[in-house]
Amino acid sequence: MAPSSVKRSLLAFLVAVIVAIACMLVLAVQVPSVAAAHAHSHDFKRFGIGEVVDEDADEDEEDDDWDFMDDDAILGLSERRNAATRVDSEVSNELCVDSLPVERVDDDYCDCEDGSDEPNTSACSHVLLSSARPPFGRQFSCKADDKLVSLAAVDDGVCDCCDGSDEKGGLCAYTCRTQWQERLERLRERLEVVNRGQSTRKRYLAHAVDTVKQLNEDFERLAQSYEAGQRAFEDLQRRAQHDPELRGHLEQSYSVLRRVQYVMYVQNRVVDPSTFSDAAWKPAFAELVGKCFSYTVDEKELKGGTPNVIPRKYEMVLCPFQNVSQAEPSYPQWTRAERQTKVGVTAADENEEEEEVPRPIGLGIWNEWLDSTGLARVQDYNHGEPCANGQERQTRVELSCGATNRVVAVEEREMCEYEIRFETPAACETREEEALLNEITQIQQFPRQQDQGDGRSEGHEEL
């Protein structure tokens, strides 16, 4: 029977682990199963399992050797090296059109090598489309409104501009007022969504400070519990050298400690000031911590397609500020249907084996905010499980304004690189509302500008 001191060590370790698990539940962390995988045999050598421990060794030296969070084999971390180069070149502002008489401008003949003499015809489109720096861009501006079309679409027999200004006279009907009205309706619908989202965002902001404070307090408790569990495990490890009966507990205890360590790594990123506290737009997103959102995708939509007769369906799960994972809950049903399709119902029934649902695959854990794309905020989730080629899976998440929290699209941009588009009230900022109002005002001015121009009208009332 183990001596009382050993029992006390076991009890201390179990208490610390229980407290740590309680903290994990409070944080509502969704941890992919890959993070909780059992350690390989070589991992245990780090803790001296099966080796003799010198109990008389200097305590300070022992503390220096123990650096659990620096174990790259456990965390699976890799250094990121980003290199960017910028090439600056001087561009001349002198255009060929400046030296031409006015009658040779827009005469449907390309006189200039830079194409600058035909801004409103397609005569120089072959020059402009191939130019690295076209004098006025590669797009044609419709005369009635702010619509831009490719220069290749000018005089191509297709009416792209509502006033027909991209084609020769008489080819296109005037449809501007109808198109403007439809565009206004879409903008007003979007504005309504943004306004509803802003109301919800205000509620998020009302308790964002308390949410962030609670996250920090929970992390501190988790860290303290982890340290206590770590000390208890070290003590148990030393005593196990003299009592073989205790060695059976080490592997299980080590796996639990690894799981808590993984949670600490993720939560340390969550409570970092760069996540919620260093910009005015960030605190509202704290509302998403501890929540998960799923989206079902057909494997035909992912990179590489599928050789299967019946496509498999995956459930992509986004847990903001935690991780992204891919599950396949319908795998048993799919395997049965696939066998029946290939070998027939009777043969499939005779040889059928019970299939288990495979464990989720980690597509990345929370890393950082990236530069915004337009009105969307962008997140990076890295260090996902490796693909067959050894590349770690990685996910980019674009968060845009929406009345509710939901995943709207999932795409595999490159092999093992995923992109998720997510709508949330937390992203409903005043800058989008202002942009929508400005665009609505601009469109409402189009009919007035057109009436003051060539007088063409469909006879509709003011927009």
Side-chain angles (χ1 to χ4, degrees):
M1 181 178 295
S4 58
S5 59
V6 174
K7 292 182 178 179
R8 285 195 298 271
S9 297
L10 281 170
L11 180 61
F13 177 77
L14 291 174
V15 169
V17 168
I18 290 172
V19 175
I21 292 175
C23 291
M24 291 164 60
L25 293 175
V26 171
L27 293 167
V29 176
Q30 304 293 326
V31 183
S33 57
V34 62
H38 290 297
H40 297 295
S41 59
H42 63 80
D43 290 327
F44 290 94
K45 294 180 180 179
R46 176 175 179 79
F47 300 98
I49 296 177
E51 300 176 0
V52 177
V53 177
D54 184 5
E55 295 184 359
D56 297 328
D58 182 72
E59 185 175 353
D60 292 335
E61 181 180 353
E62 186 177 31
D63 289 341
D64 291 338
D65 291 338
W66 181 273
D67 193 354
F68 203 90
M69 291 302 291
D70 278 349
D71 193 341
D72 287 349
I74 294 175
L75 294 178
L77 302 181
S78 61
E79 292 293 330
R80 293 178 299 166
R81 296 181 175 86
N82 297 322
T85 58
R86 179 177 298 176
V87 179
D88 297 325
S89 59
E90 296 183 358
V91 180
S92 173
N93 293 324
E94 184 177 350
L95 299 177
C96 166
V97 68
D98 297 333
S99 62
L100 290 180
V102 66
E103 60 269 15
R104 294 179 62 180
V105 178
D106 283 338
D107 62 349
D108 207 20
Y109 183 84
C110 191
D111 298 286
C112 296
E113 292 184 357
D114 62 1
S116 60
D117 63 309
E118 298 297 319
N120 295 311
T121 76
S122 60
C124 292
S125 60
H126 63 289
V127 176
L128 297 171
L129 290 172
S130 61
S131 173
R133 295 183 181 274
F136 38 77
R138 293 187 175 89
Q139 293 180 308
F140 170 80
S141 179
C142 298
K143 294 182 179 180
D145 54 24
D146 59 349
K147 184 176 180 179
L148 300 174
V149 299
S150 171
L151 287 172
V154 177
D155 282 344
D156 63 348
V158 178
C159 301
D160 298 289
C161 295
C162 65
D163 61 349
S165 57
D166 60 311
E167 303 298 327
K168 293 181 179 178
L171 177 64
C172 303
Y174 185 84
T175 60
C176 289
R177 287 184 178 273
T178 301
Q179 292 189 24
W180 292 337
Q181 188 64 47
E182 293 173 352
R183 184 175 167 188
L184 277 175
E185 290 175 0
R186 291 193 298 269
L187 289 171
R188 286 165 178 159
E189 289 175 359
R190 178 60 183 169
L191 182 60
E192 183 179 352
V193 170
V194 172
N195 288 336
R196 291 205 310 270
Q198 285 181 327
S199 298
T200 305
R201 183 174 184 268
K202 289 178 181 178
R203 294 199 299 270
Y204 289 176
L205 288 171
H207 48 80
V209 174
D210 292 336
T211 300
V212 174
K213 180 180 178 181
Q214 186 64 50
L215 287 171
N216 280 277
E217 292 175 353
D218 292 340
F219 177 74
E220 290 299 324
R221 285 195 292 270
L222 178 63
Q224 293 171 7
S225 300
Y226 172 75
E227 291 174 359
Q230 178 179 307
R231 290 192 298 269
F233 179 82
E234 288 180 294
D235 185 60
L236 178 63
Q237 174 205 350
R238 286 192 295 269
R239 296 183 182 280
Q241 308 304 318
H242 306 289
D243 188 348
E245 294 182 2
L246 296 177
R247 296 183 183 181
H249 298 285
L250 286 179
E251 182 175 350
Q252 183 178 5
S253 301
Y254 177 68
S255 296
V256 173
L257 205 58
R258 278 170 54 92
R259 185 180 180 89
V260 177
Q261 181 198 49
Y262 169 82
V263 175
M264 281 193 58
Y265 172 76
V266 177
Q267 293 307 120
N268 185 56
R269 297 294 306 149
V270 174
V271 300
D272 188 275
S274 64
T275 302
F276 297 122
S277 305
D278 66 347
W281 55 268
K282 291 183 177 180
F285 289 94
E287 182 72 20
L288 302 177
V289 176
K291 299 177 181 178
C292 294
F293 308 90
S294 62
Y295 183 87
T296 302
V297 61
D298 191 303
E299 67 177 334
K300 287 183 178 180
E301 302 173 32
L302 300 178
K303 202 73 174 178
T306 174
N308 299 315
V309 177
I310 300 177
R312 298 163 70 172
K313 293 187 180 298
Y314 300 107
E315 183 179 356
M316 318 297 278
V317 181
L318 167 65
C319 301
F321 304 101
Q322 299 297 324
N323 58 67
V324 182
S325 61
Q326 172 185 298
E328 192 177 2
S330 61
Y331 179 76
Q333 294 81 0
W334 172 81
T335 53
R336 176 179 173 81
E338 184 78 357
R339 280 199 301 268
Q340 289 177 348
T341 302
K342 291 181 177 179
V343 302
V345 177
T346 303
D349 290 341
E350 292 176 354
N351 300 294
E352 185 174 1
E353 297 179 0
E354 185 176 354
E355 299 286 350
E356 295 183 356
V357 176
R359 65 170 179 79
I361 298 174
L363 305 184
I365 58 178
W366 163 246
N367 181 34
E368 63 181 355
W369 291 101
L370 301 177
D371 292 337
S372 299
T373 302
L375 295 172
R377 302 299 184 181
V378 184
Q379 296 179 336
D380 176 53
Y381 293 74
N382 62 4
H383 297 312
E385 293 189 53
C387 292
N389 61 1
Q391 176 185 349
E392 289 184 344
R393 290 176 170 88
Q394 185 172 5
T395 303
R396 179 178 183 271
V397 179
E398 285 193 5
L399 301 99
S400 58
C401 174
T404 59
N405 294 310
R406 67 189 186 108
V407 177
V408 295
V410 175
E411 178 185 358
E412 189 173 7
R413 298 177 299 168
E414 299 291 341
M415 194 67 71
C416 303
E417 295 182 8
Y418 304 86
E419 181 170 289
I420 294 177
R421 289 190 287 280
F422 184 77
E423 289 185 353
T424 172
C428 295
E429 304 171 42
T430 55
R431 57 182 185 146
E432 182 170 1
E433 179 186 22
E434 293 171 355
L436 289 169
L437 291 173
N438 289 337
E439 188 172 354
I440 289 173
T441 301
Q442 182 181 10
I443 295 174
Q444 289 173 334
Q445 298 298 319
F446 288 159
R448 189 175 306 166
Q449 295 169 359
Q450 183 65 21
D451 292 341
Q452 293 173 355
D454 59 16
R456 299 174 68 182
S457 173
E458 293 177 293
H460 290 211
E461 61 184 12
E462 188 75 16
L463 296 178

